[in-house]
Amino acid sequence: MTRKTTTPATATCPCGQPRPYPECCGPLHAGTAQAATAEQLMRSRFAAFAKHDEAYLLRSWAPETRPVRIDLDPGLRWERLEILGGTEGGPFHTEGTVEFRAHYREGRASGSLHENSRFRREAGAWVYVDGDITD
């Protein structure tokens, strides 16, 4: 079982948008709103990793590639997200990609994950399908 972390209501959302968490990714995590674009889903998934929200990560994952569970490392802190590009993934698309770099800290070491992720709409909602990790 992983622990969820809390974010003060006035803190900027972990996804990198200049809005407080309750006005940004909070409603997506709570299930009261859906991502309008593939990038918004990507940002909300990054925020879910940062907050250790395993339930949201699984809920926003395509069924055919979704793992049974996610083992989130409590010592790993996801700190910053850079969106590098993407294709389609807008409000009127059914598929899209988002290229990103996610920065993390583990103890005193820091690093980043660079991925080109694939998304698609399923029953009107964006879901993460899979991604290619690059150097």
Side-chain angles (χ1 to χ4, degrees):
M1 188 101 190
T2 58
R3 64 171 171 74
K4 278 190 182 180
T5 59
T6 58
T7 303
T10 58
T12 302
C13 188
C15 81
Q17 295 291 6
R19 297 186 317 210
Y21 173 76
E23 298 171 16
C24 194
C25 292
L28 282 79
H29 292 175
T32 59
Q34 289 186 348
T37 66
E39 181 180 324
Q40 187 180 21
L41 182 67
M42 176 63 244
R43 288 182 177 280
S44 72
R45 286 178 56 81
F46 175 83
F49 273 106
K51 296 179 70 49
H52 298 264
D53 188 345
E54 180 181 350
Y56 179 76
L57 292 166
L58 291 171
R59 203 168 57 245
S60 62
W61 210 311
E64 72 277 7
T65 57
R66 178 188 310 134
V68 173
R69 63 180 296 222
I70 302 170
D71 292 318
L72 298 172
D73 182 348
L76 189 68
R77 281 191 14 229
W78 293 98
E79 297 187 323
R80 184 169 57 90
L81 177 66
E82 290 178 80
I83 301 297
L84 304 173
T87 60
E88 297 188 337
F92 303 107
H93 296 117
T94 57
E95 295 181 337
T97 65
V98 178
E99 182 182 3
F100 68 91
R101 184 170 288 117
H103 298 269
Y104 63 86
R105 179 166 298 283
E106 188 169 21
R108 294 183 179 199
S110 60
S112 66
L113 170 74
H114 181 191
E115 181 175 313
N116 192 24
S117 297
R118 284 179 283 282
F119 298 88
R120 76 162 182 267
R121 279 193 194 271
E122 192 167 279
W126 284 103
V127 293
Y128 170 77
V129 178
D130 60 15
D132 296 319
I133 296 174
T134 59
D135 291 329

